[in-house]
Amino acid sequence: MNPAYDHLFNIILIGDSKIGKSQIFSRIHHAPNYKWDSVQRPTIGVEFNIVYQRIENKNIRLHVWDTG
């Protein structure tokens, strides 16, 4: 069986409110064209995204969780 990715990473962003977890989440999701936003809406609950990257000839799959 040959999966579509070589490595899978689960990233969970946790911490106090208003420290930039959602900014990091948005940066990962929209990279490389993301511009930092000075006004960010608060996260209610959890946001989830799957991101695929190719690093050093390896297919990387990221599961990114942004907690509220």
Side-chain angles (χ1 to χ4, degrees):
M1 183 172 155
N2 187 7
Y5 53 88
D6 298 306
H7 300 286
L8 168 65
F9 295 96
N10 290 298
I11 300 170
I12 303 172
L13 303 171
I14 58 173
D16 293 335
S17 62
K18 299 183 181 180
I19 62 166
K21 297 180 303 291
S22 294
Q23 292 284 2
I24 293 170
F25 178 83
S26 295
R27 174 73 170 110
I28 293 169
H29 175 69
H30 298 292
N33 300 322
Y34 181 73
K35 302 231 186 318
W36 292 99
D37 188 4
S38 62
V39 178
Q40 183 80 22
R41 62 175 176 73
T43 303
I44 306 297
V46 176
E47 291 189 35
F48 175 76
N49 194 12
I50 298 173
V51 179
Y52 292 93
Q53 295 286 325
R54 182 136 180 100
I55 301 172
E56 296 182 2
N57 295 322
K58 298 285 186 182
N59 292 319
I60 310 296
R61 180 175 174 165
L62 303 172
H63 292 180
V64 185
W65 301 78
D66 178 22
T67 61

